[in-house]
Amino acid sequence: MSEEIRQALLKAGPKASDTKESEEDVVLNISLRPKKLAEFVGHKEIAENLKISIQAAKQRNEPLEHVLLSGPPGLGKTSLSHIVAHEMGAKITATSGPAIERAGDLIGILTNLEKGDIFFIDEIHRLSKVVEEFLYPAMESFQIDFVIDKGPYAKTIKFNLKPFTLVGATTRTGLLAAPLRGRFGIFYNLDFYRVEDLARIIKTSAKILGMEIDDEAALEVGRRSRGTPRFANRLLRRIRDYAQVARINKINLGIASKTLDELGIDKAGLDDLDRKVLKLVLGTYGGGPVGVESLAASLNEEVDTIEDTVEPYLLKAGYLKRTSRGRLATKLAFDHFGIKYEKQDELF
C-alpha cells in the first residue's frame, strides 16, 4: 500500500456505528410502518398498480393474486405485505423461509388459513426444496397432496385449501426456482428511495415518536440514510436519544449532523462496514478487481452480508462496479477518501 493511500485512509478512520437493531428498535419499527396504501411513501407506480389490483379483487370477491416483492433489505417489503392485508380486510400470517423446516410445518399453516387470508413468507428464496414443492399445488389449485403410510400401504391424500394469497419477499430473486417464481401473478421490484421521499418518511416518523424536526434536518438524515426507510428510522431514533438527553425540543440541521457524525455515518451515508469494504478494495487490492469471497474472508464477515447488506447501496451509489473478475472501486470511491484516482483496466 502506498503512503498516500495509507495517510488518506487513516484520516478517514472509522467510528463505531450501531447497525444492529435491538428488541426496542424492532417494536418501534413496526409502529412506524404505514398501515394503508395512502400512507405509503415512495414507489408511486407500485402503490397505484397494487391499489388497482386490490380494488379489482375486492369487486370480484376473490383473493388477490399471489404477490412477489423483491429488493434490498429495509425498502418496505414487509410493510407492503401488511398493507395488502389491511386493504383486503384480511388476516395475515407471517413467517420466513428458514423457519419452515419441514413440509408438515407448512401443511399446518396452510390448513389453518381462512378464505382471503394473506400468507407472508419473508426470505422466501431460503425455503427448502421439499417445502417449496408442497407450495406449487397450494398456490396453483389450492390443494396439497401428502402421503400417509409407507411401502405397499402408502396412500396419497388430497386436501382442499381455502383460497388465500401468498405474499413472498426476497432479497435474491435469482435464487428462486423458476416454477415457484412463475406461480406469482403480481411481481414488484423495490428500489432505493429518493432523498425527498425519505425526508417525508422521517417527518412522519418524528411526529409518531412525539418529536419535532425541521425540513433541513430531515433532508440531511434522508441524505445519509442509504436510500432505505428502515435505516432512516433507525437514525432518527438515535437522534431522538441525543435530543432527549441534551433536553433539546426541536431537531435542527446542526444537531442532526453532529449526532450522525458521532454515529459514524458520514456525509455520503456510508457506515463503518461500508468504509471497511471500500478501504479494503482501495488499499489492500489497489482499487480492485477483487472477489466477494476474498472481501468477506478479509473482513471476517459472511459473503451474504457483503452481497445483501453492503454491496447493493455501494453499487447503486456508484462507489463499486461489478466486473467478471470481481469488484472494482470507481473514481467516486477514490475521491471520497481523498486518494488520487488512476483509471483501472476494465476490459476483462
Side-chain angles (χ1 to χ4, degrees), residues 46-63:
I46 291 176
E48 287 176 353
N49 290 334
L50 198 52
K51 184 179 180 181
I52 291 169
S53 297
I54 289 169
Q55 284 180 345
K58 288 171 81 172
Q59 285 173 7
R60 293 192 301 266
N61 196 26
E62 294 175 359

Side-chain angles (χ1 to χ4, degrees), residues 32-329:
L32 295 177
R33 280 180 180 153
K35 296 173 177 63
K36 305 173 187 174
L37 271 176
E39 298 171 0
F40 189 76
V41 177
H43 302 301
K44 189 176 177 183
E45 288 184 4
I46 291 176
E48 287 176 353
N49 290 334
L50 198 52
K51 184 179 180 181
I52 291 169
S53 297
I54 289 169
Q55 284 180 345
K58 288 171 81 172
Q59 285 173 7
R60 293 192 301 266
N61 196 26
E62 294 175 359
L64 184 68
E65 278 194 81
H66 303 303
V67 183
L68 181 63
L69 304 171
S70 71
L75 295 184
K77 298 186 292 296
T78 302
S79 294
L80 270 177
S81 69
H82 283 81
I83 287 171
V84 166
H86 182 274
E87 296 285 348
M88 290 295 295
K91 187 184 80 172
I92 184 168
T93 300
T95 186
S96 66
I100 307 174
E101 296 180 352
R102 301 182 304 274
D105 299 333
L106 180 65
I107 291 168
I109 295 171
L110 291 175
T111 52
N112 282 305
L113 294 175
E114 296 297 325
K115 183 181 178 181
D117 278 1
I118 307 297
F119 180 31
F120 173 61
I121 304 180
D122 198 10
E123 297 297 304
I124 193 170
H125 63 272
R126 294 177 65 187
L127 284 172
S128 71
K129 290 297 177 189
V130 174
V131 171
E132 194 178 288
E133 286 173 7
F134 261 89
L135 265 180
Y136 297 162
M139 292 174 70
E140 204 160 21
S141 54
F142 302 112
Q143 291 179 333
I144 47 174
D145 301 319
F146 54 93
V147 179
I148 59 170
D149 291 332
K150 293 179 180 178
Y153 302 103
K155 287 186 288 186
T156 301
I157 296 201
K158 194 179 291 292
F159 193 91
N160 291 320
L161 302 170
K162 292 167 184 171
F164 67 95
T165 298
L166 175 65
V167 180
T170 177
T171 54
R172 308 280 291 278
T173 315
L175 295 183
L176 279 177
L180 178 61
R181 195 166 57 243
R183 282 170 169 80
F184 286 97
I186 301 171
F187 176 82
Y188 296 121
N189 180 54
L190 279 66
D191 204 352
F192 291 104
Y193 280 61
R194 296 182 304 128
V195 171
E196 294 77 13
D197 289 335
L198 287 170
R200 284 176 58 198
I201 291 169
I202 289 158
K203 295 279 281 186
T204 303
S205 296
K207 207 174 282 185
I208 294 169
L209 293 172
M211 57 189 284
E212 281 189 80
I213 184 168
D214 66 27
D215 293 341
E216 283 188 336
L219 280 168
E220 181 64 15
V221 178
R223 273 190 288 270
R224 301 201 197 189
S225 295
R226 305 165 59 84
T228 308
R230 182 184 296 166
F231 202 71
N233 284 329
R234 185 185 302 162
L235 295 181
L236 182 65
R237 293 195 294 268
R238 300 293 72 80
I239 293 169
R240 179 189 63 166
D241 294 344
Y242 178 88
Q244 182 181 321
V245 171
R247 299 182 185 278
I248 295 166
N249 295 323
K250 187 172 183 178
I251 309 298
N252 59 29
L253 178 59
I255 294 161
S257 296
K258 182 181 178 185
T259 308
L260 294 172
D261 288 342
E262 290 181 357
L263 288 170
I265 310 298
D266 65 23
K267 296 285 184 185
L270 304 182
D271 63 15
D272 185 29
L273 187 55
D274 296 325
R275 288 193 294 272
K276 280 181 179 176
V277 169
L278 287 177
K279 286 177 185 181
L280 195 63
V281 177
L282 291 169
T284 307
Y285 296 99
V290 53
V292 68
E293 292 84 3
S294 299
L295 286 175
S298 300
L299 293 167
N300 198 26
E301 292 281 356
E302 295 292 329
V303 172
D304 286 351
T305 303
I306 305 295
E307 288 186 333
D308 295 342
T309 307
V310 180
E311 267 195 353
Y313 179 69
L314 294 182
L315 290 166
K316 179 74 176 178
Y319 290 95
L320 280 183
K321 280 184 183 177
R322 255 187 196 162
T323 71
S324 58
R325 287 179 57 191
R327 279 58 178 171
L328 193 71

